[in-house]
Amino acid sequence: MSQQLSETVPHTQTELQGGRSNPFLLMPITLFFALLALAVLRSPSLMTSSGIGAAIIVATPLILATYALMASAISGRGTVDLSIGPLIGFINVTLIQLHGAGVLENPIAVFLYAMAVGALYQFVFSLIVIFVRVQPIIVSLSGYLALTGINLVILPRPGGVAPPFMAEWGYGTTIFSPILVILLFASAVWLLFTATAFYTHLRLMGSDERAAYTSGVPITIVRIGAHLISGCFAGLAAICFTALIASGDPSQGTTYTLIAVTALVLGGASLAGGRGGVFGSALGALNLYLITFVLATFNFGTVQSFVTNLAYGTILVVSLLLTLLIPVIQRYIRNFSPLLYFVALSVVVLGIILHATFDYAALGAVGAMVPGPLDMQAALTGPLEIATLSPATEALRFEAAPLVLSAVLLVVIAVFLRLAIGQSNRRSIAPAVAVIVAALVLAGAYAVSENVRNHDVEVGE
């Protein structure tokens, strides 16, 4: 036992040390910024307040479904819950039916019901895996088939009305909405969970269950806890899905199974267990949304859904093949920092966004008039002299200032955090990093929304 502990402790310390590399995030970060740049070039409206709001409301159910899969996948044994889509659909249709019967009216009751149903299903799932000793893939496939049929019995066709307080959630016209609050809350809870000893036991169990057992980890409790966490996230995903469609749909939820598993793999998580994170899972889900968005701009007509599924499968296979290169990458990139890499690419893509959304036609709207003969000396020295800026130039500088400031702050804070984490061997600094990055993202979203609002006011005047 002491030998096994001595073998696992250095590995744990290596991963907990803040300065170590995480090359598994190289693929999702690169793919995210490549797709984002292409999406903005194809449709600059994505960077408007309504465009970002629509992206949030559509991507949030998928992100939360990926979180739900990640919680059980980390536990090992190849626990990939194929029933996550029908489970979301089951919570959706039962919630709609109970609301129609006048049972669920209070928002607190709706949240408690959705999370309780998800947790109860996952609890039964875990008991079958642990005590009946059935393979998790068999249990999840049986749950997929059973819930798909039950959903059609409860609600044969799409219909019903979501609770009134959800009516405005699915509009997606603004960046800041209750859906964004749910997403940020769920991400923050998961990040806090990673700082607990339970999460350390979960990862150890997923990496090597026998070593975890001999080290004193309560295998049964940890596995049940992982499934309960997965069920709670599935309940939140069902609430956001209900707000998105504002009704009940017994079949639409099943599509989340394929895309959630794809997002989990694209995010760098291991289906064998022991590896996964919020940052990678969120990027994987956003990548799938951007793939759908980019393909929609090409308008393939009746074969649109087939092309989308082909893109999902192709990118999934390519990403799995690229994971074979991770050991080679680790040899050459020993101190790869996902944070610095993310910030560096964000600055580049920010320039592409400014280029795609800038109105170049307005620059040449008014022609220059030079009365009389041309004064060569004045033409050469005039641009170097200080002059009064035009209102259009002032407005452009005012709109660009928050973006430039955000880019500079991102670079400075990323370098500072990289140096701070590199000198730290404690995971207690991880929540501080998450809070700072979330604050920067919110500040950038606020700056974009304020610029859009000011622009709308000026156009109205």
Side-chain angles (χ1 to χ4, degrees):
M1 178 175 178
S2 60
Q3 182 180 359
Q4 291 175 348
L5 285 175
S6 62
E7 292 177 355
T8 57
V9 168
H11 175 72
T12 305
Q13 290 178 348
T14 299
E15 290 194 355
L16 297 187
Q17 192 169 4
R20 296 297 179 181
S21 62
N22 188 3
F24 295 99
L25 293 177
L26 179 64
M27 175 63 182
I29 293 176
T30 304
L31 183 61
F32 170 72
F33 283 108
L35 290 172
L36 180 61
L38 181 60
V40 173
L41 291 175
R42 292 289 302 173
S43 178
S45 62
L46 178 63
M47 287 295 105
T48 61
S49 179
S50 58
I52 298 176
I56 291 173
I57 182 63
V58 174
T60 296
L62 176 58
I63 295 175
L64 295 177
T66 308
Y67 288 176
L69 280 179
M70 179 176 59
S72 57
I74 293 177
S75 64
R77 292 193 187 181
T79 308
V80 181
D81 188 7
L82 300 179
S83 63
I84 186 66
L87 176 59
I88 293 174
F90 175 79
I91 298 174
N92 166 250
V93 295
T94 55
L95 190 153
I96 294 299
Q97 292 289 57
L98 290 175
H99 171 69
V103 177
L104 293 178
E105 300 288 344
N106 191 344
I108 298 178
V110 170
F111 275 86
L112 291 178
Y113 169 78
M115 297 176 68
V117 171
L120 179 61
Y121 172 81
Q122 289 294 336
F123 179 70
V124 176
F125 187 117
S126 63
L127 293 181
I128 296 175
V129 171
I130 294 172
F131 296 105
V132 186
R133 299 184 181 277
V134 180
Q135 290 295 326
I137 188 66
I138 302 299
V139 180
S140 64
L141 182 59
S142 301
Y144 177 93
L145 298 175
L147 289 176
T148 300
I150 293 173
N151 293 343
L152 291 173
V153 172
I154 296 175
L155 191 67
R157 61 184 61 86
V161 180
F165 65 89
M166 288 186 180
E168 298 181 357
W169 290 13
Y171 290 165
T173 55
T174 59
I175 297 177
F176 297 97
S177 64
I179 298 297
L180 178 61
V181 174
I182 294 175
L183 176 61
L184 294 178
F185 174 77
S187 301
V189 168
W190 183 270
L191 289 173
L192 293 175
F193 169 66
T194 58
T196 62
F198 184 89
Y199 177 73
T200 303
H201 293 164
L202 179 63
R203 290 193 59 186
L204 179 59
M205 184 182 71
S207 300
D208 192 338
E209 185 170 344
R210 180 172 296 180
Y213 177 78
T214 56
S215 300
V217 176
I219 300 298
T220 300
I221 296 177
V222 172
R223 187 168 299 280
I224 292 176
H227 282 277
L228 291 177
I229 294 172
S230 177
C232 291
F233 280 109
L236 293 177
I239 290 176
C240 295
F241 172 71
T242 304
L244 174 64
I245 64 176
S247 62
D249 194 331
S251 59
Q252 189 66 28
T254 57
T255 59
Y256 278 93
T257 296
L258 172 63
I259 57 179
V261 173
T262 306
L264 186 67
V265 176
L266 285 180
S270 174
L271 298 183
R275 188 180 74 240
V278 168
F279 188 57
S281 298
L283 283 179
L286 290 175
N287 286 337
L288 292 186
Y289 169 78
L290 289 174
I291 291 171
T292 306
F293 184 88
V294 170
L295 292 178
T297 61
F298 289 96
N299 191 14
F300 290 99
T302 56
V303 296
Q304 181 74 42
S305 60
F306 300 101
V307 174
T308 302
N309 291 333
L310 176 63
Y312 288 162
T314 302
I315 291 178
L316 178 60
V317 172
V318 171
S319 64
L320 288 175
L321 293 177
L322 289 178
T323 56
L324 300 177
L325 300 176
I326 295 299
V328 179
I329 295 174
Q330 282 182 310
R331 281 188 238 161
Y332 298 98
I333 309 178
R334 296 187 180 275
N335 288 315
F336 170 72
S337 172
L339 181 62
L340 276 180
Y341 185 63
F342 183 88
V343 171
L345 289 185
S346 66
V347 173
V348 175
V349 175
L350 178 61
I352 297 176
I353 293 173
L354 291 176
H355 165 73
T357 56
F358 184 73
D359 188 8
Y360 288 97
L363 296 178
V366 180
M369 295 183 61
V370 182
L374 177 63
D375 187 352
M376 184 60 67
Q377 183 177 1
L380 294 175
T381 60
L384 302 178
E385 298 177 356
I386 300 176
T388 303
L389 297 178
S390 63
T393 305
E394 286 285 356
L396 179 61
R397 292 179 61 183
F398 176 75
E399 292 181 359
L403 296 177
V404 175
L405 180 61
S406 299
V408 174
L409 285 177
L410 278 174
V411 175
V412 173
I413 295 180
V415 173
F416 171 77
L417 290 177
R418 174 60 176 160
L419 294 176
I421 298 173
Q423 300 300 323
S424 174
N425 58 357
R426 295 166 48 188
R427 288 179 54 189
S428 59
I429 198 172
V433 175
V435 170
I436 293 176
V437 173
L440 289 174
V441 173
L442 289 176
Y446 178 76
V448 171
S449 63
E450 283 295 313
N451 288 336
V452 172
R453 186 177 63 83
N454 293 333
H455 177 70
D456 294 340
V457 172
E458 292 176 0
V459 172
E461 294 177 352

